């Protein structure tokens, strides 16, 4: 089987891009089609990959402002040619699930979520300093984009969702069924520490919908130390509201993040995420998680085994969860054992078998878009 991988864009290395790394390790000869990529942001695991970018790659400044060319992505993906491939494996939270493949080619989409910025526009734009006129005009475009997204969902032969909540979104927005295979976690990257520090930790892109502001408000009140790793458009606003016990560390190397995870009192995970790889990485380092009770965390957090939930996006609920972490005696062996259930070796074996069987069913005519 000749396989191609397709991913929305390789501009920043987050959870979805970690999945692409694993796909590349599974299918090292498969080229990776993407709209635009940044050499300086690629992880070492993708440095040797055959990456084939769209014409968007040649637009000056696009890597620094890849969201500014939003209307061009549906046009750019039309030019990809997949005629030589038997299987196209798309990794998508935006546009790549909408690629067009020949009838003889099997398109399986590993869906991180239907495009959040279109289907959950109000949440995505909350807290962003844009004019009302801009937001109104953008809403009109997003409504058109949703129609396009729904229509082009028929370009996929088989959906695989990365969590139960994404499976429900696919059913709701695309009226398609999906099987759930949880994303891979490289648990071997993380080591437990006998030294636990005096800080709590957030590792996240700094976007408004991540609700990092809620965690900052809580730690402003309780005075405990909170370290925030990551960059993003919301950083300036968040820094403006934080007291001195809240520190922003920016983007760090994996080794530095791993050490911070292993020594934190707990990882804070305050947003509604599609799955959430970061909490399981913290668990792999032996530390518990404080998570909002919703989204992908419902698939991964077992209360008082590897973390605690807070039920409402209210400061008081976060404060109560922090107190619960401090009171509970955590079993590090149980936490790391739970994380290993999501290890990438398990994912590779499960996903490879799934793709092979799905392709057989496709050839038999059992899978129709």
């Amino acid at each position: 089987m000749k396989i191609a991988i397709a991913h929305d864009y390789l501009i920043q290395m987050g959870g979805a891009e970690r999945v692409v790394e694993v796909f590349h390790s599974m299918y090292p000869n498969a080229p990776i089609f993407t709209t635009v990529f940044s050499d300086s942001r690629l992880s070492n695991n993708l440095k040797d990959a055959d990456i084939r970018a769209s014409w968007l790659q040649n637009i000056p400044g696009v890597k620094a402002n890849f969201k500014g060319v939003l209307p061009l992505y549906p046009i750019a993906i039309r030019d990809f040619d997949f005629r030589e491939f038997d299987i196209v494996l798309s990794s998508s939270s935006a546009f790549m699930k909408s690629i067009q493949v020949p009838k003889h080619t099997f398109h399986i989409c590993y869906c991180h979520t239907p495009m959040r910025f279109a289907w959950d526009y109000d949440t995505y734009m909350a807290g962003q300093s844009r004019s009302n006129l801009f937001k109104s005009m953008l809403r009109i475009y997003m409504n058109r984009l949703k129609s396009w997204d729904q229509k082009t969902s028929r370009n996929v032969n088989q959906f695989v969702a990365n969590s139960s909540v994404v499976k429900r979104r696919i059913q709701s927005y695309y009226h398609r069924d999906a099987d759930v295979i949880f994303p891979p976690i490289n648990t071997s990257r993380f080591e437990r520490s006998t030294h636990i520090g005096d800080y709590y930790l957030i590792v996240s892109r700094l976007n408004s919908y991540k609700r990092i502001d809620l965690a900052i408000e809580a730690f402003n009140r309780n005075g405990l130390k909170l370290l925030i790793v990551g960059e993003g458009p919301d950083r300036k606003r968040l820094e403006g509201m934080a007291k001195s016990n809240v520190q922003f560390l920016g983007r760090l190397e994996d080794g530095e993040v791993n050490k911070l995870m292993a020594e934190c009192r707990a990882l804070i995970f305050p947003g509604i995420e599609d799955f959430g790889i970061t909490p399981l990485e913290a668990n792999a380092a032996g530390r518990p998680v404080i998570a909002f009770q919703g989204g992908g965390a419902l698939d991964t957090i077992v209360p008082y085994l590897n973390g605690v939930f807070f039920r409402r996006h209210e400061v008081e609920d976060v404060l109560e969860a922090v107190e619960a972490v401090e009171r509970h005696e955590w079993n590090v062996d149980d936490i790391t054992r739970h994380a290993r259930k999501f290890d990438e070796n398990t994912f590779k074996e499960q996903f490879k078998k799934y793709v092979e069987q799905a392709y057989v069913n496709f050839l038999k005519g059992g899978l129709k878009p």
Side-chain angles (χ1 to χ4, degrees), residues 2 5 20 31 45 72 108 136 167 176 179 197 283 303 338 359:
K2 195 166 185 182
I5 299 167
V20 175
N45 294 329
L72 298 182
I108 180 170
S136 296
K167 174 185 173 73
R176 298 285 303 277
D179 293 311
N283 287 162
H338 176 78
Y359 182 57

Side-chain angles (χ1 to χ4, degrees), residues 343-361:
D343 185 74
E344 69 175 41
N345 289 325
T346 301
F347 172 89
K348 287 179 181 180
E349 182 179 352
Q350 182 182 11
F351 196 82
K352 206 161 196 173
K353 288 180 180 177
Y354 183 92
V355 170
E356 290 171 359
Q357 186 58 57
Y359 182 57
V360 169
N361 292 341

Side-chain angles (χ1 to χ4, degrees), residues 62-339:
V62 71
K63 298 172 189 177
N65 188 29
F66 69 101
K67 293 183 180 180
V69 295
L70 182 68
L72 298 182
Y73 288 104
I75 302 170
I77 65 171
R78 295 177 192 167
D79 293 339
F80 290 129
D81 186 354
F82 296 107
R83 283 176 294 179
E84 65 179 290
F85 300 101
D86 302 302
I87 297 173
V88 176
L89 169 57
S90 66
S91 159
S92 183
S93 59
F95 301 98
M96 273 300 188
K97 73 115 188 66
S98 301
I99 54 175
Q100 298 179 23
V101 303
K103 288 185 177 180
H104 71 268
T105 300
F106 176 52
H107 178 191
I108 180 170
C109 175
Y110 190 77
C111 186
H112 306 282
T113 184
M115 51 179 68
R116 179 190 288 267
F117 48 83
W119 292 100
D120 195 14
Y121 175 79
D122 290 331
T123 301
Y124 191 84
M125 291 298 292
Q128 297 202 21
S129 56
R130 300 281 190 166
S131 69
N132 290 333
L133 176 60
F134 176 86
K135 290 182 178 180
S136 296
M137 293 178 64
L138 189 59
R139 183 187 296 276
I140 293 172
Y141 175 71
M142 289 302 173
N143 287 334
R144 294 179 60 187
L145 190 60
K146 283 194 293 186
S147 297
W148 174 85
D149 188 49
Q150 191 173 64
K151 180 180 179 181
T152 57
S153 67
R154 295 195 291 268
N155 294 352
V156 176
N157 294 100
Q158 180 69 25
F159 276 104
V160 178
N162 73 346
S163 68
S164 300
V165 68
V166 170
K167 174 185 173 73
R168 291 193 292 271
R169 289 177 194 161
I170 291 170
Q171 291 172 329
S172 176
Y173 303 153
Y174 301 153
H175 310 297
R176 298 285 303 277
D177 193 19
D179 293 311
V180 176
I181 299 179
F182 298 128
I185 311 297
N186 184 359
T187 59
S188 64
R189 282 176 47 214
F190 302 90
E191 294 183 1
R192 291 150 45 162
S193 174
T194 56
H195 170 72
I196 304 304
D198 62 349
Y199 61 90
Y200 286 77
L201 182 67
I202 289 176
V203 179
S204 175
R205 292 175 185 163
L206 304 187
N207 293 322
S208 58
Y209 73 88
K210 300 283 189 178
R211 293 313 312 270
I212 297 167
D213 55 341
L214 179 68
I216 291 174
E217 289 177 10
F219 280 78
N220 281 346
R221 188 179 301 184
N222 67 17
L224 297 177
K225 188 174 181 180
L226 175 65
L227 303 183
I228 300 176
V229 176
E231 290 286 357
D234 208 29
R235 177 167 178 170
K236 185 176 180 180
R237 180 180 76 93
L238 295 172
E239 286 182 319
M241 64 184 293
K243 292 184 177 180
S244 59
N245 59 305
V246 179
Q247 300 177 25
F248 291 78
L249 305 182
R251 186 179 289 108
L252 299 178
E253 296 296 325
D254 283 349
E256 297 174 281
V257 176
N258 295 354
K259 187 175 187 298
L260 287 172
M261 282 187 172
E263 297 181 359
C264 71
R265 302 199 67 76
L267 181 87
I268 311 293
F269 194 65
I272 302 177
E273 294 289 348
D274 311 313
F275 177 74
I277 287 177
T278 308
L280 287 169
E281 290 179 335
N283 287 162
R287 304 312 302 149
V289 175
I290 295 173
F292 176 70
Q293 193 171 2
L298 296 174
D299 287 325
T300 61
I301 304 299
V302 179
Y304 296 100
L305 173 70
N306 66 322
V308 297
F309 284 124
F310 61 94
R311 296 181 59 188
R312 302 175 302 163
H313 276 127
E314 301 288 345
V315 172
E316 290 75 13
D317 286 38
V318 178
L319 292 171
E320 289 176 7
V322 172
E323 291 175 3
V325 164
E326 293 291 336
R327 289 194 304 265
H328 187 68
E329 186 173 338
W330 296 96
N331 186 312
V332 177
D333 289 334
D334 287 346
I335 293 174
T336 55
R337 190 179 300 113
H338 176 78

